[in-house]
Amino acid sequence: MTPTSNGPHPSRLQRHSLAAAVLLAMGLASGAAQAQLSTATITGAVASANAPAKAGLVVLATNLASGNTQRTSTRADGSYVLAGLAPGEYQISIDGQKSQTITVAVGETATVDLTLCGQQVTILGTLARKDVRNSEVGTSVSPRAIAALPQVSRNFLAFADLAPGVRFDVDESGVSALRGGAQDRNNINIYIDGVSQKNNILRGGAGAMDTSRGNPFPQTAVAEYKVISQNYKAEFDQVSATAITAVTKSGTNKLQGEVFLDHTDDNMLAYDPGEAKNKANGLDRAKFKQQQYGLSVGGPIKPDVAHWFLAYEGKNIATPRNVGLANVGVPIPVTGVAGTFYALQGSTNQVFKQHMLLGKLDLELGNDQHIDLTARIRREDDFIVENSGLSAPGNDKTRKVNEDRIDLRHTLTRDQFINEARLGYESYLWSPQSKSNTPLIKWFISPNNLADNSKREVIWTGGSPDRQERDQKGFLLQNDFTWTALAGHTIKTGAKLKLMEYDLAGTSRSVDILSKLVHNTTGNPIVGLDAANPTADWFLREAAVAPTRVTYKNKQVGLYVQDDWKLSKQLELNLGVRWDFEDNPLNNDYVTPAGLVAALNRVDIARYGITPPAGQTYAQSLAKGGININDYISTGNNRKTFYGAVAPRLGFSYDLMGDTRSVVYAGFGRAYDRAMANHAMDELQRNLGTGDQFMIRNDYKMPYSDQVSVGLRQALNLVGVDLNTEIGATYTHAKNQFNWFSGDRDANGGFGNRGGSIDPNWGAGPQGYGMLVLGDFISQQKTTTVFVRADKPYSRDSGWGGGVTYTWSDGKTTNRDWTDDTFNWGYGKPGDIGGFYPSKLVERHRIVASGFHEKLLPWGMTLSGRMALGSGLPYRITSCPLSWDACKSFYGDPNWTRQFDLALSKGFKLPGGELALRLDVLNLFNTVNWNQYTDWGGGPGNPQNFTGGDNPDTGKKTGTSMPMRTVKLSLRYLF
């Protein structure tokens, strides 16, 4: 076992612990308010019909579901602020006089002006536009939308792309990813009841979103959520792209709940083109069924005082995959080893099981104190293969996910402030494990029996090499403060201390990976293709990597202040700043192996025909290419902590006429994120042997993005329908994104005179070792969007609601692979980003529309629908038309994608409740949405495509996104 790190240096750790503890203690002593990560605010002014505004009027908000109350008093100018409200329906009372019901959503600041008329409180203006005076870019997803809109997976994030610039993608294996613009999917964050779900270890942004076919949270426990794609306020941390803030359901004064079962099977899912082709060749897909089930129930322990809530959701999903030999394109012999491949054909199911449980208790300790206790458990078992189209039986593994979270929150409410103190614990484990010890063999065949570009993959046999465990644990201490006594100001401050522990173990290559070429006549492996091993029957061997382990601790501190300053009835400023700090994000105690350090400083040798001057070391060769290798050699005490994560958040909104019909807004903000701890595991694991060597730059920089937005919100009435419309533009420039890149250099500091090729030349690492791979915070992304949207708010009278958003986007990245991968092999000198390239993560055009209607159809049926229309994600074609040393990138023009989903539901009254039947149809028109293409243009020779390369299959459609037509039947009992 590898020696482990014991965390940061004591003096630094103690100094920052003391600072954080003092700040937290100050907040606890002074009283603080809930940040709007999980709550809502009602603000406005109170006036009398016959008198000017009065100070000192008692304003009381009563939650109609739970009976909880919150009070404040009007300030000198007659204004009031009710902060820290749980989303829901409220009755507002002023000195005993009641208003009509007001509904507030998570993260909403509702402007509600009131007037006293006799014994009645009257709301001025329209509640349909109570949340337009803000500078955020995003959208709220209501409880009705979550319940009504069609979907199959029950992943509440599926509706996040209703916000401009946001994508929610599901790949062919069922793994979902949430993205904002051209940024890495790691840069998103999800907040549940105000608690960050950030994944500190792996990709995906939030915990358990890395390579998971499951849902991050039980949908039946989500009350509502908000998607913010730009200009979030200072409360939001560890995010530089899309932010999701969701609030969970709570028990109410009435016992109520829901039991559900969703069902889909092989007769309810149309064949995709690959499955249809396999079926025509006699290889039909396996029979399968997919079921989701669960319940949620809550009620009073004591009405108006204490409540409980419980939610459980489970998944048991079988997904068919087919292994066939029909697509190889080269005849496969029926003799020798190749003859055994035929028996491995067929269809099998990959089974996924998930269990999620949430429990919640809330208690009122008098009129001014409230306690919430929430506990959550998540378990996943995913039986998967290495390659869904090539893996033979046995080439598989089981991937486990275990997640546990506990959150205790105390809220103290007084007339002019609210105090929220929070304690939390989290534990998250991700563990793919193979039981086989046999090498993984990738079998190829080619018409000329050479391991050149004409070879075709046939099948994978042997075991999976994946045996890993990634574990993060953490304790959270947090306090937030909102002060409302000063007229025109809502001032929020907060402090957070998080004590994280990382335990990273195992290896992703526990067995050898061998690539073998079978003879196209005899069917047996060809010997002698590997010059280094002339008697071997493989042409490429990736040696097994021994399992390793690294454990270390990391302290995270966050401080912020936010002032929402209402200068007048029309103008509001949103002024905020936050500072974040991590003392040990990437294992400061790591020491670069002495043998590697010696090799880096050894006298260099000739490479690619370039002979170094006498006595020139490899380190000096690197220096000619702009690399100071000492910046990457870690001594265990020279890694630098980053203190500069100061992030201003500035915004304004201006109500042109003072009636909320026309509101102009703009904002600028800097948002810092963090790097994955798994990079430290890569560095440790790769450097134990003499293979490829990974080295992280000691000068740590936190990734961030600068965001600018401007827009106009306008109320319109078209053919008698009131609409909230918006037009806006955003720009995001993300910097300091972590990338691994090639450190190999020749004696002149170059890539061996590659003639401008997009790829560096390999094999120029330090003597006695493989490639030199360097990790640095050097990648950038840019995204520009222009969007237009219209929304018709739901009302009980109309019985319907809906909206449509069109987004034009231009996404660019410095990664020469055009994607968000952490490996960027084309990178040149440090500081030289090499220009910007198209992003493979951003569509140029995208339209998303959704809506539901409760009165359109007879017999009380509800109809809902969703449409997503996009120009498709571009792809990068690599082609070498002139020579193998001058490869270039070419733009692959994608096909447009189209998906229309429909849902129909009907409720039947039963004693004690209601039975609901529902039919969901995804991709109603069974559109084939292509998203994978042959991206190899070929080499020099006979031009066969627009790149000049010799591959006639360039641009050929090979894979799809989005499901084919899928039918889901649901049965629900609500009580």
Side-chain angles (χ1 to χ4, degrees):
M1 229 181 254
T2 304
T4 61
S5 167
N6 295 316
H9 300 282
S11 59
R12 272 190 317 202
L13 194 151
Q14 292 169 1
R15 184 169 65 250
H16 296 300
S17 299
L18 179 61
V22 169
L23 287 164
L24 288 163
M26 290 171 61
L28 288 166
S30 64
Q34 281 186 310
Q36 279 184 227
L37 287 170
S38 61
T39 61
T41 297
I42 300 176
T43 183
V46 179
S48 175
N50 302 312
K54 290 180 61 177
L57 293 174
V58 176
V59 183
L60 182 70
T62 303
N63 187 301
L64 297 182
S66 66
N68 297 343
T69 61
Q70 188 165 319
R71 70 183 65 234
T72 188
S73 59
T74 56
R75 300 179 288 199
D77 60 353
S79 64
Y80 72 96
V81 177
L82 288 161
L85 298 172
E89 289 187 313
Y90 286 86
Q91 185 95 60
I92 306 297
S93 303
I94 301 177
D95 285 348
Q97 302 177 35
K98 297 181 179 180
S99 74
Q100 68 192 84
T101 299
I102 298 171
T103 301
V104 289
V106 60
E108 181 179 36
T109 297
T111 301
V112 182
D113 294 331
L114 308 170
T115 183
L116 296 173
C117 300
Q119 298 300 310
Q120 180 66 37
V121 177
T122 303
I123 296 174
L124 302 179
T126 172
L127 289 179
R129 293 186 61 75
K130 64 183 185 300
D131 189 31
V132 295
R133 292 173 178 166
N134 66 73
S135 56
E136 293 174 338
V137 178
T139 191
S140 293
V141 182
S142 69
R144 288 184 178 274
I146 295 173
L149 293 181
Q151 65 158 319
V152 168
S153 67
R154 292 191 60 84
N155 190 329
F156 78 97
L157 297 175
F159 311 122
D161 62 357
L162 297 173
V166 178
R167 287 186 62 88
F168 178 79
D169 297 317
V170 180
D171 67 18
E172 60 182 0
S173 67
V175 174
S176 61
L178 181 68
R179 290 186 172 94
Q183 289 191 68
D184 194 312
R185 61 185 181 271
N186 307 333
N187 299 131
I188 67 102
N189 203 351
I190 300 172
Y191 308 86
I192 304 291
D193 289 336
V195 178
S196 168
Q197 311 292 299
K198 193 70 174 182
N199 190 337
N200 283 208
I201 300 174
L202 299 169
R203 311 195 75 185
M209 286 189 66
D210 183 278
T211 60
S212 171
R213 292 198 281 165
N215 297 341
F217 196 80
Q219 179 173 290
T220 192
V222 176
E224 57 187 278
Y225 68 99
K226 188 173 187 177
V227 186
I228 307 174
S229 53
Q230 274 256 337
N231 207 31
Y232 19 78
K233 296 181 182 179
E235 297 99 314
F236 292 81
D237 69 331
Q238 295 189 354
V239 60
S240 59
T242 300
I244 305 286
T245 175
V247 63
T248 58
K249 296 177 181 178
S250 298
T252 66
N253 285 338
K254 179 181 178 182
L255 180 66
Q256 52 190 359
E258 170 188 355
V259 181
F260 72 89
L261 173 66
D262 297 347
H263 176 83
T264 298
D265 60 38
D266 53 282
N267 295 313
M268 303 163 74
L269 175 63
Y271 286 78
D272 66 29
E275 292 172 332
K277 185 175 182 179
N278 286 329
K279 183 179 181 181
N281 291 326
L283 295 173
D284 199 357
R285 70 186 181 192
K287 300 293 184 181
F288 68 91
K289 64 179 179 179
Q290 302 176 351
Q291 292 185 329
Q292 300 170 94
Y293 40 84
L295 63 88
S296 63
V297 59
I301 299 173
K302 182 178 181 180
D304 296 343
V305 176
H307 310 86
W308 64 278
F309 178 80
L310 183 69
Y312 165 79
E313 284 196 19
K315 285 176 178 280
N316 192 345
I317 293 177
T319 304
R321 70 173 190 93
N322 215 326
V323 178
L325 307 179
N327 294 322
V328 175
V330 179
I332 301 173
V334 296
T335 58
V337 174
T340 66
F341 297 162
Y342 291 89
L344 301 177
Q345 297 182 99
S347 182
T348 57
N349 283 319
Q350 298 185 90
V351 179
F352 172 79
K353 294 182 179 181
Q354 182 183 51
H355 303 280
M356 295 181 290
L357 179 66
L358 177 138
K360 189 174 183 180
L361 296 173
D362 66 86
L363 174 65
E364 294 291 314
L365 300 175
N367 292 328
D368 59 358
Q369 295 190 66
H370 181 86
I371 289 180
D372 290 297
L373 176 62
T374 305
R376 176 155 57 97
I377 298 172
R378 173 179 174 176
R379 297 291 183 267
E380 290 182 8
D381 286 287
D382 197 357
F383 182 77
I384 56 175
V385 293
E386 288 298 308
N387 187 306
S388 62
L390 292 171
S391 290
N395 186 227
D396 46 46
K397 58 190 173 186
T398 300
R399 185 166 55 212
K400 290 182 176 293
V401 170
N402 295 340
E403 185 178 16
D404 301 290
R405 290 181 180 266
I406 300 175
D407 180 55
L408 176 64
R409 180 173 59 182
H410 173 267
T411 307
L412 173 65
T413 305
R414 294 292 169 83
D415 188 27
Q416 295 178 336
F417 64 80
I418 304 174
N419 178 43
E420 180 189 72
R422 184 191 300 273
L423 293 173
Y425 170 78
E426 66 181 72
S427 174
Y428 163 56
L429 171 70
W430 177 87
S431 178
Q433 293 287 329
S434 171
K435 296 181 180 179
S436 175
N437 291 319
T438 60
L440 166 60
I441 302 177
K442 300 179 181 180
W443 296 95
F444 293 79
I445 193 169
S446 77
N448 54 20
N449 287 325
L450 293 176
D452 57 16
N453 290 297
S454 67
K455 67 182 183 298
R456 298 287 187 269
E457 267 188 296
V458 178
I459 201 167
W460 291 12
T461 62
S464 164
D466 210 356
R467 293 184 184 179
Q468 304 183 68
E469 284 193 1
R470 302 290 188 269
D471 189 12
Q472 74 177 46
K473 292 183 173 66
F475 288 92
L476 170 68
L477 176 62
Q478 183 173 328
N479 204 75
D480 298 286
F481 171 79
T482 298
W483 183 51
T484 61
L486 187 60
H489 294 268
T490 301
I491 300 174
K492 308 173 188 177
T493 66
K496 180 175 84 170
L497 173 63
K498 201 168 185 180
L499 307 175
M500 300 299 301
E501 296 183 9
Y502 311 127
D503 189 344
L504 316 175
T507 175
S508 60
R509 207 157 74 217
S510 62
V511 296
D512 287 354
I513 301 176
L514 306 176
S515 295
K516 298 187 179 185
L517 188 72
V518 295
H519 194 280
N520 58 25
T521 301
T522 67
N524 288 317
I526 300 176
V527 177
L529 296 178
D530 187 348
N533 300 278
T535 61
D537 63 355
W538 63 74
F539 64 86
L540 179 65
R541 174 180 178 262
E542 300 171 75
V545 177
T548 55
R549 183 180 184 187
V550 57
T551 65
Y552 66 98
K553 297 179 180 180
N554 179 30
K555 183 169 296 181
Q556 301 173 355
V557 176
L559 307 172
Y560 76 88
V561 60
Q562 175 79 38
D563 183 9
D564 295 334
W565 181 11
K566 191 171 185 179
L567 282 79
S568 68
K569 182 179 179 180
Q570 294 170 264
L571 177 62
E572 180 171 320
L573 300 181
N574 308 119
L575 309 175
V577 64
R578 73 169 295 118
W579 177 73
D580 290 287
F581 164 81
E582 296 188 44
D583 70 337
N584 188 24
L586 290 176
N587 191 16
N588 292 345
D589 289 350
Y590 175 74
V591 177
T592 305
L596 175 58
V597 175
L600 292 167
N601 290 286
R602 193 171 295 145
V603 174
D604 202 3
I605 60 175
R607 306 166 192 272
Y608 315 124
I610 302 174
T611 302
Q616 178 173 300
T617 65
Y618 184 70
Q620 291 170 333
S621 297
L622 292 174
K624 288 184 176 181
I627 296 173
N628 181 358
I629 198 59
N630 291 319
D631 291 340
Y632 300 85
I633 296 174
S634 179
T635 63
N637 57 17
N638 65 338
R639 289 201 164 164
K640 300 177 182 178
T641 302
F642 185 73
Y643 293 94
V646 178
R649 312 277 173 89
L650 311 173
F652 85 91
S653 62
Y654 185 76
D655 188 346
L656 296 179
M657 306 304 294
D659 58 2
T660 72
R661 292 189 59 82
S662 303
V663 177
V664 176
Y665 68 89
F668 164 78
R670 173 166 290 188
Y672 280 90
D673 210 319
R674 66 178 317 280
M676 298 182 299
N678 197 60
H679 298 319
M681 178 65 171
D682 287 336
E683 182 181 45
L684 169 69
Q685 188 177 76
R686 303 293 187 124
N687 297 353
L688 292 179
T690 58
D692 299 341
Q693 303 295 294
F694 281 49
M695 303 176 69
I696 296 175
R697 186 180 179 93
N698 295 318
D699 188 6
Y700 176 87
K701 296 179 181 178
M702 293 177 69
Y704 71 91
S705 68
D706 286 331
Q707 306 172 1
V708 180
S709 58
V710 62
L712 168 68
R713 299 186 179 103
Q714 179 66 50
L716 293 178
N717 185 284
L718 298 178
V719 295
V721 177
D722 289 326
L723 298 176
N724 295 328
T725 66
E726 183 176 357
I727 182 171
T730 69
Y731 173 76
T732 301
H733 190 172
K735 299 181 180 180
N736 290 355
Q737 308 298 309
F738 186 90
N739 255 136
W740 295 107
F741 64 93
S742 173
D744 291 358
R745 296 294 188 274
D746 59 38
N748 292 330
F751 289 121
N753 295 325
R754 292 280 289 175
S757 174
I758 58 173
D759 296 317
N761 212 344
W762 311 124
Q767 294 181 57
Y769 293 89
M771 291 169 47
L772 177 63
V773 182
L774 303 179
D776 198 355
F777 299 83
I778 43 83
S779 285
Q780 301 183 32
Q781 294 89 35
K782 294 180 180 179
T783 308
T784 302
T785 70
V786 177
F787 64 91
V788 181
R789 56 185 304 190
D791 174 66
K792 192 277 179 188
Y794 170 83
S795 68
R796 288 188 177 93
D797 292 338
S798 68
W800 72 282
V804 58
T805 301
Y806 163 75
T807 307
W808 174 91
S809 301
D810 180 34
K812 298 183 184 303
T813 178
T814 58
N815 193 317
R816 294 197 182 207
D817 289 332
W818 300 8
T819 185
D820 66 347
D821 196 352
T822 57
F823 289 91
N824 185 4
W825 298 124
Y827 176 70
K829 296 180 180 180
D832 176 15
I833 60 176
F836 283 87
Y837 307 90
S839 171
K840 294 165 62 174
L841 308 176
V842 180
E843 286 183 298
R844 183 56 58 95
H845 306 279
R846 185 167 177 82
I847 300 174
V848 179
S850 65
F852 56 93
H853 207 304
E854 299 171 342
K855 299 182 178 181
L856 182 66
L857 299 180
W859 308 308
M861 291 190 295
T862 296
L863 177 69
S864 65
R866 182 180 180 276
M867 181 198 74
L869 177 65
S871 57
L873 295 173
Y875 60 100
R876 169 182 173 264
I877 298 173
T878 302
S879 188
C880 310
L882 301 179
S883 74
W884 296 111
D885 290 336
C887 299
K888 303 294 182 183
S889 292
F890 295 84
Y891 186 91
D893 194 17
N895 289 71
W896 279 68
T897 61
R898 174 171 60 94
Q899 180 167 326
F900 184 77
D901 306 331
L902 198 67
L904 186 65
S905 61
K906 165 65 179 171
F908 301 90
K909 294 294 183 182
L910 296 177
E914 178 181 280
L915 181 67
L917 302 178
R918 174 165 162 166
L919 171 71
D920 287 67
V921 183
L922 276 290
N923 196 358
L924 179 66
F925 302 110
N926 205 29
T927 304
V928 179
N929 292 297
W930 298 98
N931 77 327
Q932 296 177 36
Y933 308 86
T934 299
D935 57 7
W936 169 238
N942 181 25
Q944 295 291 313
N945 55 65
F946 76 95
T947 71
D950 63 358
N951 184 9
D953 293 331
T954 299
K956 181 181 178 181
K957 303 168 185 175
T958 59
T960 61
S961 67
M962 309 181 194
M964 301 304 295
R965 182 168 51 233
T966 307
V967 178
K968 182 186 76 172
L969 295 177
S970 302
L971 180 66
R972 282 167 170 72
Y973 178 67
L974 301 95
F975 57 91

